[in-house]
Amino acid sequence: MNRREFIKVVGVGAVGLMAGGLPLKTEGSNKRMKIKAVKLYENGFMTQPFACGLEDGVEKFDPNIKYRSSLQNFLIDTGKEVILVDTGVPEDFPDTAVDEKTPIYMGTKIANYVDALKSLGYQPEQVSKILVTHKHPDHTGQLKHFPKAKVYISRIEADAMDLKGDNVIRVDFTDGAYKNFKKSQKIADGIYYIEAIGHTTGNSIVIVEDGDLNYMIHGDVTYTDEALYMNKLSIATEDKVAARDTLNKVREFIRNNKTIYVSTHTPLGYENLESKKVVDLDNMPEPIPPKDIVVKTATGKYVCSICGYVYDPENGDPRNGIAPGTKFEDLPDSWHCPICKNGKDKFNKA
C-alpha cells in the first residue's frame, strides 16, 4: 500500500499523525493524540505590574522587570478528529506601537492563523471542534474560517459575543465536577472543558489527560508562567474574586496532578509542551529576559491591552455615541472599551 492509499484508508486523522508533534495515548485505545502550538507572534514582552499587579496594586511591582511574551493557540489531534483551542487574532489586527512603558506587547507577527495551521499539516475543513477559552479577539479572531466546526463556548461568553449559528454549542458545564473543579463538560476521551471564571466572566480552561500527565491549556488564567509560580493575578481581569478562586483551584490541581502548563501569551507555553516540563510550584525556573524592544511608529489606532479591541478613529464607536473621525485623544474620559469595559488608560498606540 503506498502513502496515498494509506491516507485514503485511515482518513483525515492520518494527516495529523504524520505531521509531527507530541503523541499522547488515548485512554482505552491504541490511537495516538498530539498537541501542537499554532504560533502567531513572537519576541514580545509584558511588564511585571501588568502580569502580577491585580491584588497588591501595580505600584508594588517593578515596571522595569519584563517577561517574555508571544501569542500561540493550540491544536489537539486525537487521531480521529482535529480540535482547536482558540483561533488567534483577526487578520487585520494592527501591530502595536511599542515603547518601554507598553504593559504588554505580543511581538511581531509570524503568520496568520490559517497559514500557521496549514504549516502544521492541517486544513481548515479537517477541524471538527473548537474549544473557546474566552471571548477576547486574540482567542476568537478566526472563528469565521471554520463554519462547519462545532464551536464550544460558555453560554456567558457566547451571549457576550452574540454568536449565532447551528454550529455554536453554548456550554453550561453539565457533566459535574472534574477533580477539584466544580463544573466541566467532557469533549472526548481524555479531553475536558472546565469552567474557570475570572479573567472573563465566562472563562474556561481545557485539560487533556495522558496517563498520569495532564496538559492544562488555560487561555489567560495567568499571562505568564512566572505569575503562576508567584501566585499573582494580572490586571487584565473582569472578576477579581472569581479569578482568585480559579487560580487557587489551578494551583491545587497542579500540586495534586502532574501538570504541563500550556500558556497562550508566553513562549513558555510551547516550550513546556515540547519538553513535557511538569510544573513544580516550589521551584520557579529562572526567567529568560525578553529581546530588545523595537520602537514602532503610531498609526492613530489604539489597541485595548486587556481584550485586543481596536479603536480606529476612522470608524469611531457609533454604538456608544462616538462619531467617525473622532481621535482617541478626543474621546471623553468616561468612554470605555466596548468589549471589556476598561477605560482609555488600558489602551496602547497601534
Side-chain angles (χ1 to χ4, degrees):
M1 182 183 295
N2 63 31
R3 182 177 184 273
R4 185 181 299 274
E5 291 170 336
F6 174 76
I7 293 175
K8 185 175 180 181
V9 170
V10 298
V12 167
V15 178
L17 288 171
M18 291 187 288
L22 295 177
L24 309 178
K25 288 184 179 180
T26 305
E27 184 179 352
S29 170
N30 60 2
K31 294 284 185 181
R32 308 280 293 179
M33 278 202 294
K34 297 175 184 177
I35 302 177
K36 301 181 183 183
V38 185
K39 298 177 183 179
L40 306 170
Y41 284 75
E42 65 181 1
N43 299 330
F45 69 88
M46 69 186 79
T47 66
Q48 190 181 65
F50 174 86
C52 303
L54 180 67
E55 294 171 307
D56 300 325
V58 294
E59 68 280 358
K60 301 292 185 182
F61 297 91
D62 186 349
N64 295 312
I65 296 177
K66 293 179 172 65
Y67 305 116
R68 292 183 299 158
S69 186
S70 58
L71 177 66
Q72 58 277 333
N73 299 137
F74 297 93
L75 174 152
I76 307 166
D77 181 348
T78 71
K80 296 180 180 179
E81 60 179 336
V82 177
I83 301 172
L84 305 181
V85 183
D86 296 333
T87 63
V89 297
E91 289 162 335
D92 59 354
F93 193 80
D95 289 338
T96 301
V98 62
D99 59 31
E100 291 284 349
K101 296 181 180 179
T102 303
I104 182 170
Y105 169 55
M106 292 190 300
T108 55
K109 179 182 275 192
I110 303 171
N112 290 320
Y113 186 88
V114 172
D115 292 337
L117 188 69
K118 289 178 179 179
S119 73
L120 295 175
Y122 299 89
Q123 299 297 320
E125 56 268 24
Q126 290 178 251
V127 176
S128 58
K129 296 184 179 77
I130 301 172
L131 310 181
V132 177
T133 61
H134 61 286
K135 63 191 176 187
H136 290 162
D138 53 338
H139 296 258
T140 61
Q142 297 298 314
L143 288 175
K144 66 181 181 180
H145 289 293
F146 307 94
K148 295 183 179 180
K150 292 182 179 179
V151 178
Y152 290 78
I153 181 170
S154 76
R155 183 174 296 277
I156 292 172
E157 301 293 89
D159 290 348
M161 295 179 67
D162 194 26
L163 285 183
K164 293 180 172 63
D166 294 338
N167 65 321
V168 177
I169 311 297
R170 282 169 159 76
V171 176
D172 293 311
F173 304 98
T174 55
D175 286 345
Y178 175 81
K179 299 192 178 179
N180 64 310
F181 294 98
K182 291 182 179 179
K183 295 184 178 180
S184 71
Q185 197 86 21
K186 185 175 181 179
I187 301 300
D189 287 346
I191 303 175
Y192 296 87
Y193 187 58
I194 295 165
E195 185 179 70
I197 295 170
H199 175 60
T200 66
T201 55
N203 202 70
S204 308
I205 62 177
V206 176
I207 293 179
V208 181
E209 297 176 344
D210 172 27
D212 65 343
L213 279 180
N214 299 272
Y215 292 79
M216 181 180 286
I217 309 172
H218 64 84
D220 298 344
V221 170
T222 64
Y223 271 74
T224 185
D225 291 20
E226 286 86 354
L228 170 72
Y229 284 92
M230 295 165 64
N231 196 16
K232 301 297 181 184
L233 291 165
S234 170
I235 61 171
T237 300
E238 289 185 0
D239 188 327
K240 180 177 178 177
V241 174
R244 168 44 58 194
D245 181 63
T246 289
L247 185 54
N248 288 345
K249 284 184 169 63
V250 165
R251 286 169 57 85
E252 179 187 350
F253 181 92
I254 288 170
R255 287 203 179 277
N256 293 313
N257 303 274
K258 293 174 66 176
T259 303
I260 298 167
Y261 197 63
V262 184
S263 300
T264 298
H265 286 288
T266 169
L268 288 165
Y270 57 79
E271 290 170 2
N272 292 342
L273 182 63
E274 291 164 359
S275 65
K276 290 193 174 183
K277 182 175 178 56
V278 173
V279 177
D280 177 359
L281 289 175
D282 299 318
N283 292 283
M284 185 173 89
E286 185 69 26
I288 300 172
K291 292 188 175 181
D292 292 338
I293 299 169
V294 178
V295 177
K296 295 186 177 181
T297 304
T299 63
K301 299 177 183 180
Y302 279 71
V303 180
C304 178
S305 64
I306 306 301
C307 74
Y309 167 79
V310 178
Y311 178 79
D312 186 343
E314 184 175 337
N315 300 326
D317 182 15
R319 293 179 61 182
N320 290 301
I322 305 300
T326 304
K327 294 180 179 179
F328 185 84
E329 295 82 356
D330 296 334
L331 292 172
D333 292 341
S334 60
W335 183 84
H336 55 259
C337 176
I339 294 179
C340 68
K341 310 306 179 187
N342 277 279
K344 293 172 61 178
D345 61 316
K346 298 298 189 295
F347 278 72
N348 299 323
K349 292 180 181 180

